[in-house]
Amino acid sequence: MDFNVKKLASDAGVFFTRAVQFTEEKLGQAEKTELDAHLENLITRADGTKNWTEKILRQTEVLLQPNPSARIEEFIYDKLDKKLPSRGTNAELLGQYMLEAANEFGPGTPYGSTLITVGEYQKRLGSAERELLHTSATTFLTPLRNFLEGDWRTISKERRLLENRRLDLDICKARLKKAKQAEAKAAAAPDFQETRPRNYVLSASASAVRAEHELRVAQTEFDRQAEVTRLLLEGISSTHLNHLRCLHDFAEAQATYYAQCHHYMQDLQRELNRCANSVSAPLSSAAVCPDPVSSAFLSGPPSTLTMEQSQLPVTGTRKAKVLYDYDAHDASELSLLADELITVYTVPGMDPDWLVGERGNEKGKVPVTYLELLS
């Protein structure tokens, strides 16, 4: 107990001395040891990295989750280290409402059948958004948070230690200066032997020696802490490289998401255009909107079609690399796997957003946005 009290008193004394030194420096009443220019530049760069990382992280969270209450809920669950309850995206919820409304109004009615069509595509959009949120959180948001909650906390701790070592060093410098002045004053006193005891000079000299020793120790600790801090701050360059890779991943996730949304909305527009002429009349279950591909694509192009293609080089047979996975919506389309190679071609009058794809004995329509055409 006595040890703890003494340590507490000692710590309080050190804190008070540092506070006095810091205040006097701010008031211009005490000298301050300046850091070298390289270390100051590293500190400035690190502060900029921290500040902009926080801003980019917050704004990305707002972009991906505009609902502030949902962001607060995610933050609370994250701090409690609990798994966030699964919930659908807004588009998925809208799609579900449309499907439920269609069942109530009648799936065979024009309005009901259209609600089903739009609702299904809304759910696909919501699924794509969910994938974007998951990918962005894993590849972009998490690395930014890890830097702020991990590396930056370590850097901040070492910088605080460096500041304390710097204050201790300046305190020792001030003590040595006072001790030297006291020693010189004692040695220069007239008729010293008669007016003052001899141990006064010895005490002043001993104080100066002790102050010099404390200064050397403080200088060594300051230099060591400055080196540790410098090494950590130089690691900010590695942080920039890591965040650069994460930024590429985030942009790729966005590109995939918007390409899927574009494709889904084009499909939806085609579906609605095909149904437009029949909306004014009641639809039976057999008269629901037809499949998006004509039967010509199911049976494959005839020999005359190949002759026409040979006369049009821009529509000839080519190889294509698949960029993203694609699930066929019906029997007229061809499912795709990312990175596979297929043969593609078009036919006169075909929608420019689609091509006919062949893989072995399989054949069907494929979306252009999912392909990279090879020369």
Side-chain angles (χ1 to χ4, degrees):
M1 182 65 181
D2 293 339
F3 173 78
N4 291 336
V5 172
K6 292 179 180 179
K7 184 177 185 302
L8 181 62
S10 176
D11 291 343
V14 171
F15 176 80
F16 178 76
T17 305
R18 289 172 178 168
V20 171
Q21 176 68 24
F22 181 81
T23 303
E24 290 180 349
E25 290 175 356
K26 290 298 183 181
L27 296 175
Q29 299 174 355
E31 296 182 1
K32 176 182 177 181
T33 299
E34 300 294 341
L35 303 177
D36 65 81
H38 176 61
L39 187 55
E40 287 285 5
N41 290 335
L42 289 176
I43 291 176
T44 301
R45 185 165 180 253
D47 287 337
T49 300
K50 180 256 186 182
N51 293 334
W52 284 113
T53 300
E54 285 182 333
K55 291 180 180 179
I56 291 172
L57 174 62
R58 286 196 299 267
Q59 193 57 37
T60 305
E61 290 174 334
V62 172
L63 173 67
L64 297 176
Q65 179 51 270
N67 188 340
S69 61
R71 293 200 303 274
I72 294 175
E73 182 182 4
E74 292 175 359
F75 175 79
I76 294 175
Y77 272 89
D78 180 65
K79 292 303 179 183
L80 296 177
D81 198 20
K82 291 185 178 181
K83 184 177 180 181
L84 185 69
S86 177
R87 59 169 176 261
T89 62
N90 292 330
E92 288 176 317
L93 185 60
L94 174 60
Q96 185 61 37
Y97 286 167
M98 289 182 173
L99 294 179
E100 292 175 1
N103 289 331
E104 181 173 336
F105 298 147
T109 64
Y111 184 37
S113 63
T114 304
L115 277 173
I116 291 176
T117 301
V118 177
E120 288 293 344
Y121 277 96
Q122 291 298 326
K123 295 183 71 173
R124 293 179 188 179
L125 292 171
S127 178
E129 181 184 357
R130 181 192 297 274
E131 181 63 24
L132 171 66
L133 295 176
H134 174 72
T135 303
S136 300
T138 303
T139 62
F140 189 60
L141 296 181
T142 297
L144 296 187
R145 289 196 190 97
N146 289 343
F147 165 70
L148 294 173
E149 298 175 2
D151 294 347
W152 183 253
R153 287 186 179 180
T154 301
I155 291 174
S156 298
K157 177 182 176 182
E158 297 301 328
R159 284 178 60 182
R160 287 193 297 269
L161 287 175
L162 177 62
E163 179 64 9
N164 289 337
R165 296 292 179 265
R166 201 270 308 160
L167 289 171
D168 292 341
L169 176 62
D170 289 337
I171 291 170
C172 290
K173 288 181 178 180
R175 286 176 179 171
L176 178 60
K177 184 177 180 180
K178 292 179 181 179
K180 289 290 187 181
Q181 291 174 348
E183 183 182 26
K185 183 177 180 181
D191 301 326
F192 181 81
Q193 296 294 337
E194 298 179 1
T195 59
R196 298 187 182 184
R198 181 176 178 77
N199 62 0
Y200 182 83
V201 177
L202 296 177
S203 176
S205 178
S207 296
V209 171
R210 184 168 58 254
E212 287 180 349
H213 173 71
E214 292 176 351
L215 177 59
R216 286 195 297 270
V217 173
Q219 184 70 58
T220 301
E221 292 180 350
F222 172 77
D223 292 340
R224 183 186 302 113
Q225 187 59 39
E227 180 64 16
V228 171
T229 306
R230 181 185 64 79
L231 292 175
L232 286 174
L233 292 174
E234 287 178 346
I236 291 293
S237 297
S238 298
T239 299
H240 285 188
L241 291 176
N242 182 42
H243 289 181
L244 174 62
R245 290 190 293 268
C246 296
L247 193 59
H248 279 282
D249 293 338
F250 178 55
E252 181 66 23
Q254 284 186 303
T256 301
Y257 167 67
Y258 290 119
Q260 289 176 325
C261 291
H262 177 68
H263 169 66
Y264 290 149
M265 293 312 297
Q266 284 185 318
D267 283 355
L268 176 58
Q269 285 180 317
R270 281 190 289 270
E271 291 279 355
L272 296 178
N273 288 337
R274 275 191 288 269
C275 297
N277 294 331
S278 59
V279 166
S280 57
L283 296 178
S284 64
S285 59
V288 180
C289 297
D291 291 337
V293 183
S294 65
S295 59
F297 296 130
L298 300 178
S299 60
S303 57
T304 55
L305 182 60
T306 304
M307 293 176 60
E308 293 175 0
Q309 288 181 342
S310 63
Q311 298 172 359
L312 300 172
V314 295
T315 61
T317 301
R318 301 176 64 178
K319 289 290 184 181
K321 179 183 178 181
V322 179
L323 299 176
Y324 321 108
D325 291 347
Y326 176 74
D327 294 327
H329 298 158
D330 51 54
S332 66
E333 297 181 4
L334 180 66
S335 294
L336 303 173
L337 295 175
D339 297 329
E340 71 172 332
L341 295 177
I342 62 173
T343 301
V344 295
Y345 55 89
T346 187
V347 294
M350 185 176 181
D351 190 323
D353 293 325
W354 292 83
L355 292 172
V356 179
E358 289 186 357
R359 180 180 54 229
N361 295 327
E362 297 179 308
K363 182 185 304 182
K365 276 191 22 170
V366 294
V368 174
T369 53
Y370 280 65
L371 303 175
E372 177 186 356
L373 298 179
L374 305 178
S375 57

